[in-house]
Amino acid sequence: MDQTIYLVTLVSTALVLAAAFSSLIAFRFGAPLLLLFLAIGLITGVDGLGIRFDNASLAYFIGSLALAIILFDSGFGTPLTAMRQAGLPALSLATIGVALTTLIFGAATFYLTELSWLESFLLGAAVASTDAAAVFFLLRAGNLSLRDRVRSTLEIESGTNDPIAIFLTITLVEVISLGADPQAQVLLTDLIVGFIKNMGLGALAGVLGGMAIVRLVDKLNLDSGLLPIFVLTLSLLVFAGAGTIGGSGFLAVYVAGLVAGNSQIRATNILKRFQDGMSWLAQIIMFLVLGLFATPSQFPAILLPAVALGLFLIFIARPLAVSLCLLPFRFGRAETAFVSWVGLRGAVSILLALTPLIGGLAHGGQIFNIAFIVVLVSLVVQGWTIGPIARRLKLIVPARLGPLDKVELELPGSAHHELLAYTVAAGSPVARGQRIPRWARPSLVVRDGRSMRFQDAGRIAAGDHVYIFVPDRYPRLLDRLFASRTEVDPEDEDFFGAFAVDPNRPATELEAAYGIGLTDAEQTMTVAALLNERFGGRAEYADRVMVGPIELIVRDVDEKGRIISVGLSTEPLAIQPTVPVFLSIAEIGDRARIFWVNYRAKKRAQRIVAQARKAEEAATSDG
């Protein structure tokens, strides 16, 4: 008995350590971390080192708890500014996009496999959602400085589409396990009613649960070591409670995290650090368990159709669903193409593929194996190419800030204040003499190992350590003051234009100087209002638009999304990216239209030549 405990602990900790060390490889080479976790699980499984793990119910239970922890952390780290900026397109992808992907992929599955229509749609629902862990990691590990709206759309979509996919998958498993063959209209009605109930109760439980978490944290004077465990336990309570009353526990825990993370909750930094570590542990455990459960020796029998379905999902189903969902939101063709490409499938798809096995479906094993291979194809094809695709589509923008050295410290007994410790970087605005704002309370400067009051320190120099007492929701201005200058790539030197324009100046000055052809209504606007109008109501960092012969570029915006700096270029950059045809339905349409026009023109020319020859032959015979 004792030896069994030691052996299980030894193997488990060895697997977790191997997964943790593999993250170093992933960060070094930009590899999909999930792929490495799954590979470790496969290597140590029944067809590798021989560890047998075939309990589908236990794997699903462990995976569900791990996913709940990941979703709470995702919601906690999502600012409301991102929701306002990209909430509608992201939610469109998370709901309509998941349904469209299920239908399109399900239809392809029916014709490529021996599964029935309902089983095909079940497989489609299992692989319809993107993986939050994979998306967050690859965007961070790749060090990609993307446009805010694109990044926010991808992160919010990956955090909110899991509940919808889970609902569809479980519902279809229940329908198939009952042996019923419902009419399409009845099934659709039941799905809609069940969806509204499931998501409505989940969202309500999430809002109430998030508010309760904030209230309890502020009211109870818990020890700082116990507080993160208390919050994590409350989040799992919200997850379980919502599921018990018939709602979506996964949506509830995400919404609870969103509410708690955007409230004036105490000890925010302690909670974030703890949840970040727990989220990593949850990802490792979930991926390893799912990798252990798989049986690679069963893959060859369904390898070809599974790979074909994986490629179909990447190149047809996902781009088509994304293109239709983003049509109302004025996304550019390159942005739509990139959102289509970053539709990585991961542990959630494999987790959902366990439900047919748990439900005892006849083809449950086949569905699981196909889903597993589809995930592997997605990680290999998409996971390694996100950076190159982003550069190809010219969606990489110069970073706003250079290197920043900052430590955030919670203050005992203070609910809403914290102490920031900055190391002054060479070339930063503070080092160049810019003053620290009055609302920030600099209290101490450490220079060459000696501490002194801020008032006695004189001018701040590079290398000084400055301690500032601030409210916990401090503006980003302090980071900008202490960060070094951004190192601009030579290719980006002209990115923001050669001239600066005051966004509060009237647009008529641009009309007078450059004759840009503004309408009467536009001439009454400021430059900032003109840009907001051209961008559909809201501009963001690095947005650019042609206005007559000049190009206006948004150099920076503040925390409220207001334009505070504008660049002007009289020699606009040729930034029309070449969108790969397989990533854009619009691009396919344009290529098809050009082909058709050229084909008709060729046929018309051939008819004219033929008619000319006939006329020439007729004239020759008459002669």
Side-chain angles (χ1 to χ4, degrees), residues 191-490:
L191 282 174
I192 293 175
V193 173
F195 175 81
I196 294 174
K197 175 187 174 183
N198 189 263
M199 297 300 140
L201 289 174
L204 179 61
V207 171
L208 296 178
M211 294 171 62
I213 289 173
V214 175
R215 194 68 177 266
L216 288 171
V217 167
D218 286 341
K219 290 293 183 182
L220 301 178
N221 188 23
L222 294 175
D223 183 82
S224 58
L226 181 61
L227 184 61
I229 300 174
F230 179 71
V231 171
L232 179 64
T233 306
L234 288 177
S235 69
L236 293 178
L237 179 64
V238 173
F239 165 73
T244 303
I245 64 175
S248 171
F250 296 99
L251 179 62
V253 76
Y254 178 83
V255 173
L258 187 67
V259 172
N262 287 279
S263 302
Q264 298 292 329
I265 192 170
R266 184 166 60 91
T268 301
N269 293 321
I270 293 176
L271 293 175
K272 283 184 176 180
R273 285 193 292 269
F274 177 80
Q275 287 166 192
D276 187 48
M278 287 302 301
S279 181
W280 272 108
L281 182 61
Q283 291 173 41
I284 291 173
I285 292 175
M286 178 166 60
F287 301 157
L288 289 178
V289 166
L290 295 175
L292 279 171
F293 184 84
T295 309
S297 59
Q298 299 176 358
F299 291 171
I302 44 89
L303 184 61
L304 290 179
V307 172
L309 285 171
L311 296 175
F312 179 86
L313 177 64
I314 294 171
F315 295 111
I316 297 178
R318 168 76 176 178
L320 182 58
V322 168
S323 298
L324 294 175
C325 289
L326 295 184
L327 274 178
F329 300 107
R330 301 179 66 174
F331 271 64
R333 189 172 294 185
E335 294 173 323
T336 301
F338 188 71
V339 172
S340 299
W341 191 250
V342 191
L344 287 97
R345 270 55 189 176
V348 176
S349 296
I350 303 175
L351 180 68
L352 293 180
L354 288 171
T355 56
L357 293 170
I358 299 172
L361 301 190
H363 295 106
Q366 184 179 356
I367 292 173
F368 176 82
N369 289 333
I370 293 176
F372 200 100
I373 294 174
V374 167
V375 169
L376 292 179
V377 171
S378 173
L379 291 173
V380 171
V381 175
Q382 295 170 293
W384 289 93
T385 57
I386 286 180
I389 289 291
R391 285 182 279 274
R392 165 80 178 272
L393 297 175
K394 299 189 184 300
L395 291 177
I396 305 294
V397 298
R400 291 191 185 187
L401 296 178
L404 178 68
D405 187 354
K406 177 181 68 173
V407 178
E408 302 176 26
L409 304 172
E410 295 286 346
L411 297 176
S414 175
H416 302 299
H417 291 80
E418 60 190 37
L419 187 65
L420 300 182
Y422 285 100
T423 300
V424 180
S428 63
V430 167
R432 299 198 307 268
Q434 189 162 336
R435 296 182 60 182
I436 299 174
R438 291 184 177 180
W439 52 260
R441 302 175 185 176
S443 57
L444 181 70
V445 175
V446 177
R447 179 180 298 159
D448 298 328
R450 296 182 297 108
S451 60
M452 61 193 76
R453 293 191 309 166
F454 180 80
Q455 294 82 355
D456 301 332
R459 179 167 176 169
I460 300 299
D464 287 352
H465 302 280
V466 182
Y467 293 80
I468 304 177
F469 183 66
V470 296
D472 58 359
R473 298 293 176 182
Y474 63 91
R476 291 180 302 172
L477 176 59
L478 281 179
D479 286 354
R480 297 181 183 182
L481 289 177
F482 284 91
S484 63
R485 292 181 177 180
T486 305
E487 294 184 7
V488 181
D489 190 279

